[in-house]
Amino acid sequence: MASVKIPEQKVILCGEYGVGKSSLFRRFAFNLFIPSSSKQSTLGLDHFNKEYKVGDRAIKLQLWDTGGMERVASITSSYYKFAEAAILVFSLDNAASFHVLSQHLLDIVTYAENAKIFLCGNKQDLEGSVPQVSTTDMESFCEQCHSLISATYKTSCKTGEGIEDMFLDVAHHLIESNQSRFQLQNFKRGSIKIHKFNEETNAESCSC
Amino acid sequence: MDEEYDAVVLGTGLKECILSGMLSVSGKKVLHIDRNKYYGGESASITPLQDLFERFKAPPPDETIYCKGRDWNVDLIPKFLMANGSLVKLLIKTGVTRYLEFKSVEGSYVYKSGKIYKVPVDQKEALASDLMGMFEKRRFRNFLVFVQDFDENDPRTWKDIDPKRTTIQELYDKFGLDKNTQDFTGHALALYRDDDYLNTLATETIERIKLYSDSLARYGKSPYLYPLYGLGELPQGFARLSAIYGGTYMLDKPVDEIVLEGNKVMGVRSGSEVVRCKQVYCDPSYVTDRVKKTGQVIRCICLLDHPIPNIKDALSCQIIIPQKQVNRKSDIYVSQVSYTHQVAAKGWFIAMVSTTVETCDPENEIKPGIDLLGRIKQKFVTVSDYYEPINDGTESQIFISSSYDATTHFGTTCDDVLDIFLRGTGEHFDFSKVKLEGGDEEP
């Protein structure tokens, strides 16, 4: 068992089907990109922990993928529970995926009211010279949301551009603002995670 | 919807979601539909509080009293998880436990002659309990020691009982336990709902008592666990498992007909669309002509602004009222959860009283339970029919779950699910097929 427990922060990906949430997840978890031609749909992607260091503080981002449930608008409210951060993802080559974000934002503030919210324009490599969604559009969206959005990013899962920077920055935000709050919460919550029973596995008891 | 599926699952209650998860993990192509726009069907936790009041046609709750409606997640069917029981094992083996957080229920009580007592489970508690007289305590203690040591495979632990023949009544008599002690052993420890068990093999009751004490040993104060945000989190967890393995989810989708070809199912119709499938798995509400009513369950949801009296201000508890104590055939169950489980606003408690209906005045039947609660702010009563499928579904390939019974834990729920899975696929579920990409729990 680890001697000092590094706090895990649940980060969820939200946005329309096909904007590249699972690709962001794969980049985050395995630094892999699978082109759409050889990809069926989201299968077997759940969540993944990764440690970030900001100064002398360490934090574990626990990134969650939707599991494809957004396809027919049937994400469970459980998905949002305990989330400390939510990344709203849209595709820079698809204006519709941007305009529908207010609905996703509403879900986040309803089910994960304490989560910090970030905006991510993905598929930067497909942006082209006349972008479907401009930086100005992103800025005015943030203004309309009364500064609910903590930061905005542009990424490309294909080239890997901007992705590590984004997660590092999210980690930074969470460390800065949440430190005292989540310590208090963990202390108050006192709940149990049930794990494998000892008699069933004695080989690997370490879970982190 | 114009694809063909191996299985269409109707209803997102806990049983259907577990089945959907197991089918998807087993490589089946699954479409999961619910006519409601929320997950959980009958086993949902209702939020916000306004929706609960609306459901029972009560005037909307006053936010100055009940605080924010979103702070509430009220279960329609109260149950707890046995810490060492089959549902927890299923959660662990499928990895669904990663989506949930639990709290241990703080106390387990039993009712005797109008008062409630802590349920004694080990020798020390048995000797300290004022539930029994001095001499009875010693007899009960000897009984517990025997139960703990008993091993069906080791004849030396049998003393002189015959595991294949001795009934539990004979075992009680052998230890000289009086009727009161038999009552709370059978009902508060072994969790039998009525006295039919007295003529069954002693070994079954011994197993149940062991499950209770093993569960208690796991997390302390009681053998029960309860998930944060309510029981509605359980079906959602299994739904996520199913989705991650390729299951498709559709909420808010009416189901108009199950289409047959001969005697066998060939599809499900919603409006003018028919989706083809080889099998259907569903709860009784989707197939009213293929189920029979075998009883009724009454459940009463009570909102309290204080904990139940006489449980030492516990934030959660279970109280069992054994049938004989109140001249009934089946037990009355009382459970309490609270704001500490994120199911109620700060300072609020949700108590549930439930039992199997025996008379034409069910509300009067649960009175002994209601009387334990103290002042009640708001009360919602439901009497629901209990349905069972009329056949095992192998001919029609329509596999129907039974309604949720009055029991307070999920033992019977898991039995039903595992049995349906076996009938539907012809095999037991292979847990080794669960391999989630990305999770870091299993290196």
Side-chain angles (χ1 to χ4, degrees):
Chain A
M1 284 289 172
S3 51
V4 181
K5 177 118 170 70
I6 299 164
E8 279 162 15
Q9 303 269 282
K10 178 173 176 178
V11 180
I12 54 174
L13 294 168
C14 302
E16 287 296 280
Y17 183 58
V19 297
K21 295 185 297 301
S22 300
S23 295
L24 280 170
F25 184 93
R26 284 197 195 86
R27 275 287 181 194
F28 175 85
F30 322 112
N31 198 18
L32 273 179
F33 178 71
I34 303 169
S36 56
S37 52
S38 63
K39 183 167 54 188
Q40 298 253 302
S41 70
T42 304
L43 210 72
L45 292 180
D46 191 55
H47 71 268
F48 191 86
N49 289 352
K50 200 163 152 186
E51 198 176 313
Y52 284 85
K53 281 218 163 66
V54 180
D56 58 345
R57 287 170 176 177
I59 190 171
K60 245 187 207 162
L61 294 192
Q62 183 178 74
L63 190 69
W64 288 66
D65 191 36
T66 57
M69 283 178 139
E70 76 281 18
R71 227 174 316 177
V72 275
S74 52
I75 292 196
T76 60
S77 58
S78 299
Y79 180 67
Y80 300 91
K81 301 272 164 67
F82 310 110
E84 299 287 344
I87 304 177
L88 275 173
V89 188
F90 69 96
S91 171
L92 284 162
D93 73 334
N94 177 353
S97 75
F98 176 72
H99 294 303
V100 77
L101 284 182
S102 53
Q103 181 54 46
H104 293 280
L105 186 69
L106 190 66
D107 287 343
I108 295 169
V109 294
T110 307
Y111 299 114
E113 53 182 340
N114 295 321
K116 288 201 147 287
I117 305 168
F118 303 88
L119 180 64
C120 169
N122 190 33
K123 307 196 189 179
Q124 199 179 5
D125 50 288
L126 299 178
E127 202 176 5
S129 52
V130 186
Q132 293 275 310
V133 182
S134 68
T135 311
T136 327
D137 293 335
M138 287 170 74
E139 279 166 5
S140 63
F141 177 74
C142 293
E143 268 170 38
Q144 282 163 23
C145 308
H146 307 288
S147 50
L148 272 170
I149 313 280
S150 301
T152 63
Y153 312 97
K154 284 188 182 182
T155 56
S156 164
C157 289
K158 192 173 179 184
T159 65
E161 200 182 332
I163 291 178
E164 265 314 288
D165 292 346
M166 173 172 79
F167 288 113
L168 187 63
D169 193 53
V170 169
H172 192 93
H173 273 272
L174 288 179
I175 282 189
E176 283 301 304
S177 68
N178 281 6
Q179 193 80 342
S180 52
R181 187 166 64 81
F182 69 69
Q183 277 176 350
L184 187 71
Q185 250 179 7
N186 281 353
F187 170 74
K188 251 191 355 202
R189 217 193 274 159
S191 56
I192 312 164
K193 290 294 273 186
I194 47 177
H195 292 294
K196 282 204 179 72
F197 298 153
N198 293 334
E199 61 264 33
E200 284 171 24
T201 55
N202 45 19
E204 65 266 357
S205 61
C206 179
S207 65
C208 38
Chain B
M1 280 177 80
D2 51 354
E3 296 170 76
E4 181 169 350
Y5 291 87
D6 293 319
V8 171
V9 183
L10 305 176
T12 54
L14 178 59
K15 288 182 185 178
E16 281 65 38
C17 285
I18 299 176
L19 281 166
S20 173
M22 296 199 303
L23 290 166
S24 291
V25 167
S26 307
K28 302 265 191 275
K29 191 172 173 192
V30 176
L31 174 65
H32 200 156
I33 299 175
D34 198 305
R35 62 164 88 86
N36 299 313
K37 58 178 191 288
Y38 55 86
Y39 281 92
E42 286 297 299
S43 40
S45 306
I46 302 299
T47 186
L49 191 62
Q50 291 80 323
D51 286 11
L52 182 75
F53 278 61
E54 201 175 297
R55 198 183 176 97
F56 289 96
K57 302 188 172 55
D62 182 349
E63 290 219 340
T64 60
I65 298 171
Y66 294 100
C67 309
K68 243 185 7 202
R70 283 268 164 220
D71 289 348
W72 295 78
N73 292 280
V74 182
D75 300 334
L76 296 174
I77 296 177
K79 279 184 196 294
F80 289 136
L81 290 84
M82 278 292 227
N84 212 17
S86 40
L87 182 57
V88 168
K89 287 187 173 149
L90 206 57
L91 284 166
I92 291 170
K93 287 180 178 169
T94 53
V96 169
T97 173
R98 73 186 68 198
Y99 308 136
L100 304 159
E101 286 189 30
F102 292 90
K103 277 198 168 173
S104 183
V105 172
E106 291 180 17
S108 169
Y109 295 83
V110 63
Y111 175 100
K112 188 192 149 197
S113 330
K115 281 179 72 180
I116 54 176
Y117 299 85
K118 199 159 187 326
V119 176
V121 266
D122 60 19
Q123 308 176 30
K124 231 172 82 192
E125 282 190 350
L127 291 177
S129 173
D130 47 5
L131 190 56
M132 295 161 279
M134 267 249 287
F135 296 107
E136 184 66 9
K137 275 182 196 179
R138 303 205 70 82
R139 290 189 285 268
F140 179 60
R141 179 187 159 273
N142 292 340
F143 172 78
L144 280 182
V145 171
F146 169 79
V147 166
Q148 278 315 317
D149 292 344
F150 183 84
D151 177 354
E152 213 171 335
N153 301 314
D154 183 358
R156 278 170 304 176
T157 66
W158 296 354
K159 302 286 166 70
D160 41 352
I161 79 154
D162 177 352
K164 294 232 159 25
R165 207 157 289 152
T166 309
T167 66
I168 185 63
Q169 184 65 66
E170 286 163 353
L171 187 67
Y172 286 153
D173 293 341
K174 184 173 138 54
F175 281 88
L177 301 185
D178 71 24
K179 285 288 172 203
N180 265 324
T181 311
Q182 294 181 16
D183 224 25
F184 86 74
T185 304
H187 294 267
L189 291 182
L191 301 173
Y192 282 107
R193 272 175 287 174
D194 50 45
D195 265 354
D196 294 349
Y197 81 101
L198 285 170
N199 294 316
T200 63
L201 285 180
T203 48
E204 285 173 33
T205 305
I206 291 173
E207 278 313 305
R208 281 168 168 248
I209 297 172
K210 281 187 172 176
L211 169 62
Y212 188 99
S213 54
D214 291 350
S215 295
L216 183 79
R218 202 162 283 290
Y219 297 110
K221 301 172 228 167
S222 84
Y224 304 110
L225 297 176
Y226 185 80
L228 293 191
Y229 296 106
L231 296 174
E233 297 299 292
L234 297 169
Q236 295 190 45
F238 284 100
R240 180 171 167 93
L241 176 75
S242 180
I244 281 171
Y245 280 86
T248 302
Y249 275 79
M250 278 186 186
L251 298 183
D252 204 9
K253 184 91 181 161
V255 174
D256 296 309
E257 187 190 352
I258 292 178
V259 187
L260 299 181
E261 206 167 59
N263 291 324
K264 201 176 159 296
V265 68
M266 62 76 66
V268 172
R269 182 172 68 81
S270 171
S272 58
E273 296 173 282
V274 174
V275 54
R276 296 184 67 91
C277 64
K278 298 191 185 81
Q279 296 186 314
V280 164
Y281 294 80
C282 64
D283 73 47
S285 70
Y286 288 86
V287 280
T288 45
D289 56 335
R290 292 176 179 271
V291 293
K292 58 174 187 282
K293 178 179 158 183
T294 55
Q296 280 186 313
V297 181
I298 177 167
R299 301 185 174 96
C300 179
I301 302 169
C302 301
L303 309 185
L304 314 176
D305 55 4
H306 58 85
I308 295 176
N310 306 314
I311 56 163
K312 302 193 176 84
D313 290 342
L315 298 174
S316 53
C317 78
Q318 171 168 283
I319 306 166
I320 290 178
I321 305 178
Q323 22 92 320
K324 278 223 193 78
Q325 294 292 330
V326 283
N327 297 317
R328 291 171 50 78
K329 286 197 214 57
S330 40
D331 297 350
I332 301 172
Y333 300 104
V334 179
S335 65
Q336 176 200 276
V337 290
S338 65
Y339 59 91
T340 181
H341 308 97
Q342 321 278 4
V343 295
K346 184 85 185 146
W348 284 88
F349 296 77
I350 304 169
M352 303 268 198
V353 184
S354 61
T355 191
T356 307
V357 173
E358 293 174 5
T359 68
C360 50
D361 184 8
E363 252 189 273
N364 195 39
E365 292 183 48
I366 54 168
K367 196 170 173 296
I370 298 285
D371 288 345
L372 296 174
L373 304 183
R375 182 166 33 96
I376 296 166
K377 277 289 207 187
Q378 180 73 42
K379 195 166 89 173
F380 300 113
V381 180
T382 39
V383 177
S384 37
D385 293 338
Y386 181 85
Y387 293 104
E388 285 174 39
I390 49 175
N391 58 48
D392 70 2
T394 42
E395 195 193 351
S396 61
Q397 293 292 297
I398 301 173
F399 301 95
I400 306 160
S401 62
S402 305
S403 307
Y404 295 88
D405 58 29
T407 53
T408 56
H409 70 111
F410 287 100
T412 52
T413 308
C414 286
D415 293 347
D416 193 21
V417 166
L418 294 173
D419 188 51
I420 293 171
F421 186 83
L422 180 61
R423 293 202 309 262
T425 64
E427 48 196 61
H428 293 281
F429 182 62
D430 179 1
F431 288 99
S432 68
K433 284 185 176 155
V434 185
K435 283 200 173 56
L436 293 176
E437 198 183 315
D440 63 344
E441 273 90 338
E442 286 90 10

